[in-house]
C-alpha cells in the first residue's frame, strides 16, 4: 500500500510567499503520486499561526481549488513550535514532512531518491537539509 504524505507548513504572515510555495508543494506531491511513491490522499497542511495579513484567506482559496490543500487556523499567534505541533497532531498520517513556508527552494529527496516511503516514516525538512528517522 502506498502511504499518504502530509506536508505540514506553519504559516505566520506569509501572504507574499504562500502563492509561490503552495504551487511548489503541490507540484512535488503530484510528481511523487505519478511515481507511485505517495497516495492521492496526500495533503499540504498549512497551519495559520494567527496571521494578521491575508494568509488564512489564501489558504482557504487554495483548499477550494485543489483537494491536496488543507488548513487549520489558530485563534491567535501561539509561536512556531505550538503551531508545528498542532499541524503534526492534525496530520496523523503515514508519512509527515515538516517545512517552512519560506522554503521556496526545497529539496525533496526524502532520504534517498525513488525510495518507497514506508509507514511510520517521519521526514524532517528545513530549507535544503533533510534528516530521516524511523518511528515504531
Amino acid at each position: 500500500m502506498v502511504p499518504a504524505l502530509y506536508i505540514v507548513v506553519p504559516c505566520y504572515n506569509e501572504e507574499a510567499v504562500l502563492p509561490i510555495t503552495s504551487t511548489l508543494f503541490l507540484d512535488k506531491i503530484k510528481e511523487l503520486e505519478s511515481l507511485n511513491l505517495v497516495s492521492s490522499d496526500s495533503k499540504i497542511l498549512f497551519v495559520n499561526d494567527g496571521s494578521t495579513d491575508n494568509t488564512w484567506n489564501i489558504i482557504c482559496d487554495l483548499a477550494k481549488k485543489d483537494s491536496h490543500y488543507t488548513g487549520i487556523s489558530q485563534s491567535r499567534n501561539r509561536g512556531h513550535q505550538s503551531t508545528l505541533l498542532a499541524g503534526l497532531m492534525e496530520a496523523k498520517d503515514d508519512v509527515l514532512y515538516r517545512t517552512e513556508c519560506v522554503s521556496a527552494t526545497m529539496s525533496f529527496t526524502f532520504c534517498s531518491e525513488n525510495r518507497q516511503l514506508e509507514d511510520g516514516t517521519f521526514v524532517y525538512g528545513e530549507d535544503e537539509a533533510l534528516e530521516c528517522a524511523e518511528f515504531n
Side-chain angles (χ1 to χ4, degrees):
M1 181 173 175
V2 179
L5 168 68
Y6 261 70
I7 300 175
V8 179
V9 188
C11 300
Y12 181 72
N13 292 339
E14 305 289 355
E15 71 180 357
V17 296
L18 199 51
I20 298 164
T21 56
S22 62
T23 302
L24 294 173
F25 292 132
L26 183 60
D27 290 347
K28 182 49 68 173
I29 280 189
K30 288 183 176 183
E31 176 188 337
L32 292 170
E33 285 176 5
S34 71
L35 296 170
N36 204 35
L37 292 174
V38 300
S39 80
S40 59
D41 294 330
S42 297
K43 301 283 184 191
I44 303 153
L45 173 60
F46 296 104
V47 186
N48 183 40
D49 188 21
S51 297
T52 57
D53 65 358
N54 204 31
T55 295
W56 180 241
N57 290 331
I58 294 170
I59 293 168
C60 291
D61 289 343
L62 289 168
K64 290 175 188 171
K65 292 177 185 174
D66 193 295
S67 63
H68 287 94
Y69 294 120
T70 189
I72 58 174
S73 186
Q74 301 189 119
S75 60
R76 63 178 178 83
N77 182 276
R78 299 187 183 276
H80 183 270
Q81 295 304 313
S82 294
T83 303
L84 174 60
L85 181 59
L88 293 175
M89 290 175 65
E90 180 73 17
K92 296 180 185 171
D93 225 309
D94 299 332
V95 180
L96 302 173
Y97 179 81
R98 170 259 193 238
T99 190
E100 301 298 324
C101 195
V102 295
S103 297
T105 59
M106 299 160 302
S107 173
F108 279 90
T109 58
F110 291 109
C111 306
S112 63
E113 292 183 20
N114 298 323
R115 180 173 72 81
Q116 178 67 46
L117 301 174
E118 298 173 9
D119 290 355
T121 300
F122 177 83
V123 183
Y124 176 89
E126 179 128 357
D127 296 323
E128 295 186 27
L130 293 177
E131 296 177 19
C132 283
E134 298 289 331
F135 286 83
N136 296 325

